[in-house]
Amino acid sequence: MNKKLYIKTWGCQMNEYDSSKIVSLLNNTHNYQLTENPEEANILLLNTCSVREKAQEKVFHQLGRWKKLIKKRPEIIIGVGGCVASQEGAYIYERANYVNIIFGPQTLHRLPKMLDQVYQTRNPVIDVSFPKFEKFDFFPKPRATGPTAFVSVMEGCDKYCSFCIIPFTRGEEISRPCEDILSEITQLAKQGVREVTLLGQNVNAYCGTNHDGSLCSFSELIRFVASIDGIDRIRYITSHPTEFTNEIIEVYRDTTELVNFLHLPVQSGSDRILTMMKRSHTVSEYKSIIDRLRKVRPNIHISSDFIVGFPGETKQDFEKTMQFIIDMNFDMSFSFLYSPRPGTPAANMLDDTSEEEKKQRLYMLQERINQQTMQHSRRMQGTTQRILVEGVSRKNIMELFGRTETNRIVNFKGLPTTIGTFVDVKIIDVHSHFLRGLLLKTEDQIKLHENNKCHMSS
């Protein structure tokens, strides 16, 4: 009988990466096949995120829905992992005693043994410890699922921003050995991956060891990844202004594989609020980073994160953020209302701004960003863009889609044989969430054209 695994993932790209490893791990050890239908699953897993408001309640609401399935099939195994599991631990079982397994982000590799233990005893298993990077030693060989892939290079956070729960749920910053990362990416490249996204809570704080025991910086890691045959594009997320070094800017100057797009969270345009957030950088320091970066990459697109309604944020603080957004000409953003995270310093701060006022501020900020996003998109109309074709469009099965260097989705008509390759398209139409393109050159035609240019110049 085929055993089925259903996994629901909430949160960031790191959670998506972890879930993909869980699927591979349980397939290798117990031959579980992934299913999109929880009704037919033998195991139901919830990989959680604790960053946003009411994260815990969201988990228990989902568990309540799954409880109904247990009444029909008592043999179902239910597991809760990720940051909420790390934060709440045994309390999850106290409140939902039908949960069999509770595991943290650093113990997901122990799932096969936890599963065996539950099958043998039917007793709950809880492991939310922090065994550093032990988990990567137990992961199966990386398996590509398309031309793009996520690769975790470091985890955890030492910044302790006053609003953030991540240091408590993911642990301290720990960097994987450089050789392990390069080996994983090399294996993915051999399977057809052309673009990798390097992941970490503070990815540019990466400081892993080389094979000779010396330390490898994030800028050096990018250069190493760029030298791997088959890897033509490199992205990374999420970075922190404090670790955005001159060496990283130099990589942008001379490493063409690094895309013309940067997501660099700032959170606020007010120095007073940044100090209360314990962000360890100022507005002027952030501006200096972007100014220096634009000198070596004039066409780079910048996105950021913003928290609206942080405790004590005044109208003047918000106005400074709005002006900052205009001054920096941000392309995109992830913006949210502040929500208190239990156990963080900000949760105890006085907050006298009404919810209505906060929502109005968020609306104004998002409208401004949306306007700037469309302005950037309209400038692309009529231009030729090189995109990596990722697959069939979700909007129209007769079309393909890919992404520009600046992270724009482009839908266009083309042959399925171009999936996994780079093509040149002319942008012929602009929409709020995607662009429409006209195919100009396939990858073979691009190479032929570039070879002819080389012969003519020589």
Side-chain angles (χ1 to χ4, degrees):
M1 182 183 74
N2 288 332
K3 295 180 289 185
K4 301 287 187 180
L5 161 69
Y6 176 83
I7 184 165
K8 192 174 188 68
T9 306
W10 291 326
C12 64
Q13 289 91 342
M14 188 73 79
N15 274 23
E16 296 286 349
Y17 177 83
D18 284 347
S19 289
S20 70
K21 294 301 180 183
I22 289 171
V23 172
S24 295
L25 192 64
L26 293 183
N27 178 259
N28 276 28
T29 60
H30 288 67
N31 198 32
Y32 277 97
Q33 305 297 316
L34 187 65
T35 177
E36 299 292 325
N37 181 11
E39 300 273 348
E40 65 177 19
N42 305 95
I43 301 179
L44 299 169
L45 294 181
L46 187 56
N47 193 7
T48 64
C49 172
S50 61
V51 171
R52 299 294 163 228
E53 187 178 11
K54 299 179 181 177
Q56 294 90 332
E57 292 308 308
K58 190 176 178 183
V59 168
F60 289 114
H61 286 157
Q62 181 60 58
L63 291 175
R65 289 189 283 270
W66 283 355
K67 185 179 181 180
K68 298 174 184 176
L69 298 178
I70 298 177
K71 292 180 180 179
K72 300 177 184 177
R73 297 166 56 214
E75 74 280 3
I76 290 176
I77 301 294
I78 293 181
V80 179
C83 291
V84 173
S86 179
Q87 181 181 345
E88 300 297 329
Y91 175 69
I92 293 175
Y93 179 72
E94 292 175 17
R95 187 165 164 182
N97 63 6
Y98 47 89
V99 173
N100 307 98
I101 300 172
I102 299 169
F103 60 98
Q106 305 299 349
T107 54
L108 60 89
H109 62 288
R110 297 176 180 172
L111 264 175
K113 289 185 178 179
M114 296 183 199
L115 192 57
D116 289 338
Q117 190 173 336
V118 169
Y119 278 135
Q120 290 168 10
T121 66
R122 298 304 296 189
N123 293 326
V125 180
I126 302 172
D127 187 349
V128 291
S129 58
F130 293 93
K132 296 191 176 181
F133 274 108
E134 173 191 310
K135 73 179 186 182
F136 290 97
D137 297 330
F138 288 85
F139 282 165
K141 290 183 178 180
R143 185 171 58 195
T145 56
T148 65
F150 293 126
V151 176
S152 177
V153 303
M154 61 86 68
E155 290 196 18
C157 181
D158 294 344
K159 300 299 178 289
Y160 290 93
C161 297
S162 64
F163 57 83
C164 187
I165 196 70
I166 292 298
F168 306 100
T169 59
R170 285 271 181 180
E172 64 183 13
E173 291 176 0
I174 307 168
S175 298
R176 290 178 68 189
C178 178
E179 193 171 8
D180 291 357
I181 297 167
L182 299 180
S183 174
E184 180 173 344
I185 296 174
T186 299
Q187 292 178 65
L188 289 168
K190 290 179 179 177
Q191 298 173 56
V193 168
R194 308 288 299 275
E195 173 186 298
V196 292
T197 301
L198 309 179
L199 299 178
Q201 268 73 42
N202 289 314
V203 67
N204 55 331
Y206 174 83
C207 187
T209 53
N210 289 309
H211 67 280
D212 61 359
S214 61
L215 294 179
C216 176
S217 68
F218 185 61
S219 58
E220 291 172 318
L221 177 65
I222 293 175
R223 293 185 192 279
F224 286 143
V225 174
S227 69
I228 295 175
D229 287 343
I231 299 301
D232 297 291
R233 274 190 185 169
I234 302 170
R235 302 182 189 271
Y236 59 86
I237 195 169
T238 296
S239 51
H240 193 286
T242 303
E243 271 93 18
F244 211 94
T245 63
N246 287 328
E247 288 75 20
I248 294 175
I249 292 175
E250 289 173 5
V251 175
Y252 277 95
R253 183 187 62 204
D254 54 32
T255 306
T256 56
E257 289 84 358
L258 193 54
V259 296
N260 249 358
F261 183 86
L262 169 66
H263 182 74
L264 186 62
V266 66
Q267 307 301 355
S268 174
S270 163
D271 281 337
R272 192 179 75 88
I273 296 299
L274 289 177
T275 299
M276 294 170 68
M277 289 178 168
K278 295 185 177 179
R279 282 292 289 169
S280 69
H281 64 84
T282 65
V283 169
S284 63
E285 286 168 345
Y286 186 97
K287 284 183 175 180
S288 175
I289 292 168
I290 303 304
D291 287 345
R292 284 180 285 134
L293 186 57
R294 283 174 169 158
K295 285 181 181 177
V296 299
R297 286 282 186 99
N299 297 320
I300 194 166
H301 287 217
I302 310 294
S303 74
S304 195
D305 289 352
F306 293 93
I307 294 175
V308 175
F310 187 80
E313 181 190 71
T314 64
K315 181 180 179 181
Q316 290 73 29
D317 291 318
F318 178 69
E319 287 173 351
K320 287 180 180 179
T321 297
M322 290 296 289
Q323 187 59 51
F324 178 69
I325 288 171
I326 295 170
D327 292 344
M328 300 308 298
N329 195 19
F330 287 111
D331 182 10
M332 305 174 190
S333 80
F334 295 100
S335 52
F336 305 92
L337 289 178
Y338 167 76
S339 59
R341 300 290 80 213
T344 61
N348 299 318
M349 292 180 180
L350 177 65
D351 186 3
D352 55 5
T353 305
S354 71
E355 200 69 15
E356 183 180 354
E357 173 67 18
K358 291 179 183 179
K359 289 180 180 178
Q360 180 64 22
R361 291 177 187 177
L362 180 64
Y363 173 80
M364 291 170 63
L365 186 149
Q366 291 179 339
E367 278 297 294
R368 179 68 240 181
I369 291 285
N370 288 340
Q371 290 171 17
Q372 293 181 186
T373 299
M374 281 303 293
Q375 288 170 4
H376 283 288
S377 293
R378 289 191 184 107
R379 291 190 194 102
M380 299 175 73
Q381 186 155 358
T383 65
T384 298
Q385 299 289 324
R386 186 154 297 173
I387 68 169
L388 175 59
V389 187
E390 296 185 33
V392 176
S393 171
R394 297 176 181 86
K395 294 182 176 292
N396 184 347
I397 61 171
M398 302 304 292
E399 293 184 335
L400 304 175
F401 84 98
R403 290 179 190 269
T404 67
E405 272 200 49
T406 54
N407 213 31
R408 291 291 196 282
I409 293 176
V410 182
N411 292 329
F412 69 101
K413 291 182 179 179
L415 296 175
T417 52
T418 61
I419 294 174
T421 70
F422 287 91
V423 299
D424 282 350
V425 298
K426 181 179 180 180
I427 304 304
I428 58 174
D429 201 4
V430 175
H431 298 266
S432 55
H433 298 294
F434 72 97
L435 308 176
R436 187 165 300 285
L438 175 67
L439 180 63
L440 298 180
K441 291 189 183 79
T442 64
E443 188 162 50
D444 287 341
Q445 291 169 331
I446 292 169
K447 289 178 180 178
L448 181 62
H449 177 72
E450 290 177 349
N451 287 337
N452 288 338
K453 282 173 62 178
C454 289
H455 289 313
M456 289 175 67
S457 62
S458 61

